[in-house]
Amino acid sequence: PQKLLIGESLNMTITVTNPGTGAATGIVVEEDVPPGLTHVAGTELEYEIGTLRPGESKRLELTLRADKAGIIKNTIVVRGDANLAAQHAIDIEVVAPQLQVGITGPKKRFLERSATYTLSVNNPGTAAARDVELVAYLPRGMKFVETDAQGQYDPQQHAVFWSLEEL
């Protein structure tokens, strides 16, 4: 895929083909895993194919994991004897949600006076945040009156809970 969510796996199929009329020998596939992607075996990967006869192809599977948001250029290099070389590069966009929360309201309240506080949550990231849970714990001495936006008050925890399917 050209777009990938952070934490997901990128499964690539690599096909190496010999379009020539003679055997290609000493074929090695090289992958320098770029920052933003990881592989369990490290950052410098090699796979030795050996010899490809004329018209022969070899398919390989490579799985990398996205661990940093941004545009990542991944290049696969194939080398062989007699100065054979080929490469293929792809751009992958790794997207990630990001949450920011804020609260506005009076800093001081006198006894028996009501106060209205507004909580805000936004996602300045590059992907949707799913199954977001927002909790506002009320300080001691504050009495809960009401909420909007489908918030649920839990008197045992003295907190208001909101559930957002997607943000």
Side-chain angles (χ1 to χ4, degrees), residues 65-164:
R65 186 170 189 82
D67 71 348
K68 183 179 173 191
I71 305 284
I72 299 168
K73 183 179 213 68
N74 190 62
T75 304
I76 302 289
V77 176
V78 181
R79 299 190 193 286
D81 294 339
N83 293 324
L84 289 176
Q87 70 177 23
H88 183 77
I90 58 171
D91 288 330
I92 303 152
E93 181 182 6
V94 177
V95 295
Q98 186 180 11
L99 295 177
Q100 291 179 337
V101 66
I103 185 167
T104 58
K107 294 191 187 306
K108 291 182 181 180
R109 280 325 286 157
F110 292 103
L111 194 60
E112 301 298 323
R113 300 262 179 124
S114 64
T116 300
Y117 292 89
T118 302
L119 296 174
S120 62
V121 62
N122 66 18
N123 177 4
T126 54
R130 300 194 193 297
D131 301 322
V132 176
E133 299 288 328
L134 181 63
V135 181
Y137 292 98
L138 305 177
R140 291 182 209 222
M142 295 291 279
K143 177 182 163 191
F144 172 77
V145 177
E146 67 179 337
T147 183
D148 64 358
Q150 301 172 348
Q152 301 294 317
Y153 176 67
D154 179 350
Q156 290 185 351
Q157 295 187 52
H158 197 48
V160 182
F161 293 82
W162 292 268
S163 293
L164 306 171

